[in-house]
């Protein structure tokens, strides 16, 4: 049965690629806009591809060094005759390559879809919405199809869950740096454009006179499309890897129902997403928020039905099915909670907008307070999902409780194809709105793209909350996978059948690891935000220089064009310079804790890292989303509208929120995944070569 299900998973992946190709063809066939629109769009595409090429050039060298280290030392020194090292190194490189490929596909279609959505806004909202959503859906289908195909193929060839961890580590490592680099690039340009354009000069958001506007649009693609795609690719692969490690640990065989259920449920989630994407339409109300929500709920319902039928027909455990559905349900609830704190139709945004009339200090205080409040429902949701899945599956036997948590993570990420489609829609329509303004397509087109962009901001906040929550469950499952890997290594070394059954907080080694692990997300975030600050300072100086030295630029004289490429270069060079240190810091500290305190200290380290990382990620993501929509709410005419004191205060809040929600916040969950995977891969080394 397992072989048939693996073949079904591969067939579903191929179907997803077919769907992606059809969507790409549809988007590309849509009418083009005027020449000015095409020229600006081509400039954005060129900038995004140039950044990606330079970033991947650096990351390929980094991946090569890591692959050599894996070949030499993981899971055991190669001179001890371990062929598994070669499998691990190759799996790592395949994971990194697939992750990079998913980001490249996303950039390619997003930089075409933005032009098509802008051009379609001249005729109406329906086709403008479809161009944006279907462009994003290409990314969704490519990312999930690639992740499912990669995991299935590696597992079929090796039958080894540790090789899957290597594949996942490759995906996570590249995602960590891609998300950090893209986030630094996009927020450098966004902050600089807003502070000089909106606050100092009072010109519109996407005014072509501003030298940073093209870099800002490039950043939307490299940060929110390629970066978020790599992030969710990593989470999806990591959830399957953790579940497969525990499935094999439970039964000791690759041909079991537990392994089969992981592939079956993951494939059915992709199938539900394919159908959901294919049926997404703008309804009679012409409300993009409603269209995005209804297609997501339809996908969720399809997944519940598909997995229930599969469980009945294939005689899987209903308890494991319940754990997956618990994860999916809690993911939906966390998305709704994120929506409440960030949606411009809800009280928190209205409250902070009103407070902005009194000055930026109250904008900041309100956003911070609501961001902190938003942490509780999400953290409680993750805790309830983990506890419920644990209790539901515990009666199945020893080890099944943690397997239940891993299946809750698989369930939560089951509709990730639809989630990525929604998420990538956001930056596409954001770009489209800028293109409409820069291309002079008129007020009607601007109103339509403003409506699409507002829905994109809301859905981005929801998907970021979902991604962080999914990472939370995934890394709890990876903690279980770490214990399983340690126990396997201990058994092989004759150290007992159940070397680790938990982590005692009164053990000083565990507590040592806990405190260090809890500090890492804060330091990691600070390094990324400081990177954005340093880079933005450089770009603001460049914008000032251009406005002072290029005659007629500030006045908007005909034929006077800013030097857009200078700002793109500053964002690119700065992002590539800043992206490596923060990621390396997290990796090096993990290794130090493992070599000093061994597996007990690593258990504490991972626990502290998970708890503080989730708290900080949720806080920053929701605060940033709230400040962004507060600014847009005031720009819609509330509390004085554009240019008033409340608007200037809201722009300051949005500037603070930009690196929160698009650089540090969403990068933390990838950081947690990376250190969890390193810990599992190094488990046998930490078991035998630690100081204490």
């Amino acid at each position: 049965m397992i072989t048939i299900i693996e073949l079904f998973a591969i067939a579903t992946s191929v179907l997803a690629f077919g769907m992606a190709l059809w969507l790409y063809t549809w988007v590309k066939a849509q009418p083009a806009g005027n020449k000015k629109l095409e020229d600006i769009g081509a400039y954005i595409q060129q900038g995004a591809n140039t950044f990606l090429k330079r970033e991947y050039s650096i990351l390929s060298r980094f991946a090569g060094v890591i692959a050599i280290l894996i070949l030499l030392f993981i899971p055991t020194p190669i001179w001890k005759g371990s062929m598994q090292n070669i499998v691990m190194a190759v799996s790592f490189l395949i994971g990194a390559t697939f992750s990079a490929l998913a980001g490249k596909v996303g950039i390619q279609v997003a930089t075409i879809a933005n032009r098509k959505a802008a051009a379609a806004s001249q005729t109406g909202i329906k086709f403008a919405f479809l161009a944006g959503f279907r462009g994003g859906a290409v990314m969704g289908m490519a990312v999930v199809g690639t992740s499912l195909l990669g995991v299935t193929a590696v597992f079929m060839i090796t039958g080894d869950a540790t090789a899957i961890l290597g594949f996942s580590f490759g995906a996570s490592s590249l995602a960590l740096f891609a998300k950090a680099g893209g986030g630094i690039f996009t927020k450098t340009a966004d902050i600089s454009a807003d502070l000089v354009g909106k606050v100092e000069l009072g010109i519109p958001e996407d005014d072509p006179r501003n030298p940073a506007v093209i870099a800002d649009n490039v950043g939307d693609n490299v940060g929110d499309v390629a970066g978020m795609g790599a992030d969710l690719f990593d989470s999806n692969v990591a959830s399957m890897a953790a579940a497969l490690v525990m499935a094999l640990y439970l039964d000791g065989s690759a041909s079991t129902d537990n392994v089969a259920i992981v592939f079956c449920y993951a494939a059915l989630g992709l199938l539900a997403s394919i159908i959901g994407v294919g049926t997404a339409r703008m309804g009679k109300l012409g409300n993009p928020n409603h269209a995005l929500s209804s297609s997501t709920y339809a996908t969720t319902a399809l997944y519940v039905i598909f997995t229930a039928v599969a469980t009945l027909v294939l005689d899987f455990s209903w308890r494991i099915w319940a754990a997956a559905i618990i994860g999916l349900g809690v993911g939906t609830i966390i998305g709704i909670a994120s929506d409440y704190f960030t949606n411009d139709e809800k009280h928190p945004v209205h409250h902070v907008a009103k407070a902005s009339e009194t000055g930026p200090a109250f904008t900041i205080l309100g956003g911070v307070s609501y961001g902190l409040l938003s942490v509780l429902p999400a953290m409680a949701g993750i805790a309830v999902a983990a506890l419920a899945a644990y209790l539901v599956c515990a009666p199945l036997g020893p080890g099944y409780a943690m397997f239940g948590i891993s299946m809750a993570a698989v369930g939560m990420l089951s509709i990730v194809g639809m989630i990525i489609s929604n998420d990538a829609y956001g930056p596409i329509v954001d770009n489209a709105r800028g293109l409409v303004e820069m291309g002079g397509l008129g007020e009607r087109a601007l109103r339509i793209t403003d409506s699409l962009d507002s829905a994109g901001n809301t859905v981005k906040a929801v998907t970021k909350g979902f991604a962080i929550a999914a990472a939370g469950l995934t890394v709890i499952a990876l903690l279980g996978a770490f214990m399983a890997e340690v126990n396997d290594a201990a058994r092989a070394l004759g150290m007992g059948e159940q070397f680790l059954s938990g982590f005692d907080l009164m053990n000083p080694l565990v507590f040592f690891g806990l405190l260090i692990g809890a500090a890492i997300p804060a330091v990691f975030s600070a390094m990324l935000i400081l990177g954005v600050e340093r880079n933005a300072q450089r770009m603001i100086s460049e914008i000032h220089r251009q406005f002072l030295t290029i005659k007629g630029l500030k006045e908007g004289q005909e034929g006077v064009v800013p030097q857009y490429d200078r700002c793109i270069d500053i964002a690119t060079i700065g992002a590539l310079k800043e992206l490596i240190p923060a990621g390396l810091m997290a990796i090096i500290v993990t290794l130090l804790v493992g070599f000093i305190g061994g597996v007990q200290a690593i258990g504490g380290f991972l626990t502290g890292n998970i708890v503080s990382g989730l708290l900080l990620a949720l806080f920053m993501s929701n605060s940033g989303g709230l400040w962004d929509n507060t600014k847009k709410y005031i720009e819609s005419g509330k509390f004085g509208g554009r240019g008033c004191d409340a608007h200037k205060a809201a722009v300051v809040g949005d500037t603070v929120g930009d690196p929160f929600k698009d650089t540090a916040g969403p990068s933390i969950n990838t950081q947690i995944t990376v250190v969890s995977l390193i810990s599992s891969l190094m488990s046998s080394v930490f078991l035998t070569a630690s100081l204490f």
Side-chain angles (χ1 to χ4, degrees):
M1 181 177 67
I2 179 63
T3 304
I4 295 171
I5 290 175
E6 287 170 341
L7 292 173
F8 169 66
I10 291 173
T12 308
S13 300
V14 172
L15 183 62
F17 296 143
M19 183 68 170
L21 181 61
W22 178 79
L23 292 167
Y24 177 76
T25 305
W26 185 91
V27 169
K28 204 169 181 183
Q30 296 310 296
N34 59 37
K35 187 178 185 304
K36 188 174 182 182
L37 190 73
E38 286 293 303
D39 288 345
I40 296 168
Y43 208 74
I44 293 169
Q45 186 175 45
Q46 180 186 347
N49 282 323
T50 299
F51 172 78
L52 216 61
K53 182 178 179 181
R54 290 169 71 173
E55 181 182 54
Y56 285 175
S57 173
I58 290 172
L59 293 182
S60 63
R61 292 195 286 273
F62 169 79
V65 171
I66 297 296
I68 290 169
L69 292 174
I70 290 172
L71 178 67
L72 294 175
F73 300 111
I74 298 177
T76 56
I78 195 168
W79 50 86
K80 292 186 178 180
S82 175
M83 282 297 293
Q84 197 175 20
N85 291 48
I86 298 171
V87 173
M88 287 287 292
V90 172
S91 297
F92 170 84
L93 289 173
I94 292 172
T97 303
F98 275 26
S99 183
L101 188 62
K104 177 64 177 175
V105 168
I107 286 285
Q108 195 63 33
V109 70
T111 50
I112 294 172
N114 58 8
R115 285 177 260 173
K116 303 298 186 178
S121 66
Q122 295 175 284
T123 57
I125 195 168
K126 180 180 177 181
F127 282 101
F129 168 79
L130 279 177
F133 177 77
R134 288 182 171 176
V138 174
M139 179 75 168
M141 297 297 97
V143 166
V144 187
T146 305
S147 62
L148 182 59
L149 178 65
V151 171
T152 309
V154 170
F155 190 79
M156 285 183 77
I157 293 167
T158 66
D160 181 8
T162 308
I164 300 293
L165 288 175
F167 179 85
S168 183
F169 181 45
S172 299
S173 299
L174 191 120
L176 177 64
F177 295 112
K179 189 63 195 162
I184 291 169
F185 184 109
T186 184
K187 292 306 108 179
T188 294
D190 198 355
I191 287 172
S192 304
D194 277 0
L195 285 179
V196 179
K198 288 186 176 182
V199 177
E200 289 184 24
L201 302 177
I203 61 178
E205 181 170 354
D206 291 298
D207 194 303
R209 288 174 290 174
N210 193 329
V213 293
I214 298 294
D216 187 10
N217 285 300
V218 170
D220 289 335
N221 291 288
V222 299
D224 288 338
V225 177
M228 183 56 83
D231 180 7
L232 285 168
F233 178 92
D234 142 57
S235 293
N236 196 37
V237 170
S239 70
M240 286 191 280
L244 288 168
V245 167
M246 279 182 279
L248 286 174
Y249 178 71
L250 287 171
D251 301 307
S253 167
S255 302
T256 66
D257 281 355
N258 292 324
V259 171
I261 205 168
V262 175
F263 286 114
C264 181
Y265 283 10
L268 289 173
L270 178 53
L271 183 61
S273 295
I274 292 169
I275 297 170
V277 163
T279 56
R281 295 288 188 279
M282 177 70 76
K284 293 179 181 178
L285 298 174
N287 185 333
N289 261 322
H290 183 265
L292 293 167
S293 299
S294 59
S295 59
T296 303
Y297 293 141
T299 303
T300 303
L302 283 172
Y303 179 73
V304 173
I305 294 167
F306 288 170
T307 51
V309 171
T311 302
L312 182 66
V313 171
L314 300 174
D315 197 29
F316 291 144
S317 168
W318 284 102
R319 287 182 178 274
I320 295 175
W321 176 82
I325 300 308
I326 286 167
L328 179 61
V330 169
T332 304
I333 292 167
I334 289 170
I336 292 168
S338 296
D339 177 68
Y340 173 76
F341 284 100
T342 57
N343 194 323
D344 61 9
E345 296 177 359
K346 301 293 194 297
H347 171 74
V349 167
H350 296 178
H351 177 91
V352 176
K354 175 67 176 172
S356 298
E357 291 184 307
T358 322
F362 292 97
T363 310
I364 302 299
L365 287 171
V368 167
S369 300
Y370 279 115
L372 291 169
L373 282 172
S374 74
V375 167
L376 179 59
M379 294 285 276
I382 296 168
V384 167
L387 179 61
Y390 187 97
L391 294 175
V392 163
C393 293
L396 293 173
Y400 273 93
M402 286 302 295
F403 182 60
I405 294 175
S406 72
M407 287 308 298
V410 170
M412 189 179 281
L413 282 159
S414 58
I415 60 165
V416 72
M418 177 59 76
I419 297 299
I420 294 172
S421 302
N422 285 351
D423 193 81
Y425 158 88
I428 288 171
V429 294
D430 189 4
N431 264 207
R433 192 245 177 245
L435 287 168
V436 164
E437 188 166 317
M438 287 185 279
L441 300 187
E443 283 300 316
R444 179 170 179 264
L446 202 55
R447 282 196 303 274
I448 286 172
T449 49
D450 271 337
S451 171
L452 296 175
D453 188 25
S454 176
N457 278 323
T458 299
V459 81
K460 274 199 295 182
V462 172
T463 54
K464 280 185 175 68
F466 179 93
I468 294 165
L473 268 184
T474 300
V475 294
I476 293 169
L478 283 171
L479 186 57
F482 167 71
M483 290 170 62
E485 289 288 298
V486 170
N487 287 331
D488 271 348
R491 190 183 303 116
L493 293 167
M495 300 169 71
E497 282 294 314
Q498 195 71 16
F499 186 84
L500 274 185
S501 58
F503 303 102
D504 181 5
L505 287 180
M506 299 309 294
N507 180 333
L509 285 176
V510 175
F511 202 69
F512 158 76
L514 183 79
L515 293 179
I516 302 295
I520 294 305
V523 176
F524 178 78
S525 300
M527 292 176 74
L528 292 182
I529 293 171
L530 284 169
V532 171
E533 185 212 357
R534 284 190 291 267
N535 220 22
Q537 294 276 15
R538 289 190 285 267
M539 188 175 289
I540 287 171
S541 297
E542 172 61 22
I543 298 169
H544 285 154
R545 183 197 68 77
Q546 291 196 33
F547 275 123
L548 287 171
T549 59
I550 300 176
K551 291 183 179 179
L553 179 60
K554 191 180 293 185
E555 296 75 18
Q557 287 182 10
E558 187 72 29
V560 178
V561 179
Q563 297 168 343
Y564 296 123
D565 55 337
R566 294 290 294 270
C567 287
I568 293 172
D569 279 346
I570 288 170
T572 300
I573 293 165
L576 297 176
K577 179 182 175 183
E578 302 284 358
L579 69 86
I580 296 292
L584 276 182
M585 179 276 302
I587 292 170
I588 290 168
V589 172
T590 306
L591 295 173
L592 286 174
V593 169
F595 284 124
I596 291 170
V599 294
Q600 295 286 352
I602 283 292
F605 178 86
L606 294 180
T607 304
N609 196 259
I610 290 166
V611 174
S612 84
L614 289 177
L615 188 149
L616 276 172
L618 288 162
F619 157 65
M620 289 195 286
S621 177
N622 289 336
S623 285
L626 186 150
W627 279 317
D628 191 356
N629 276 344
T630 296
K631 177 195 70 177
K632 285 185 164 54
Y633 182 66
I634 293 173
E635 286 175 347
S636 71
K638 306 296 190 298
F639 301 106
R642 294 175 186 268
C644 70
D645 288 342
H647 181 232
K648 289 179 180 178
V651 171
V652 173
D654 182 41
T655 302
V656 175
D658 275 339
F660 273 35
K661 69 181 173 65
D662 289 325
T663 307
S667 297
I668 289 175
N669 56 334
T670 315
Q671 175 264 308
I672 301 170
T673 307
V674 167
V675 300
S676 299
L677 287 165
I678 289 172
S679 301
S680 292
L681 292 171
M682 294 287 290
S683 56
S684 60
V685 179
F686 293 153
L687 187 64
T688 57
S690 61
L691 186 61
F692 294 100

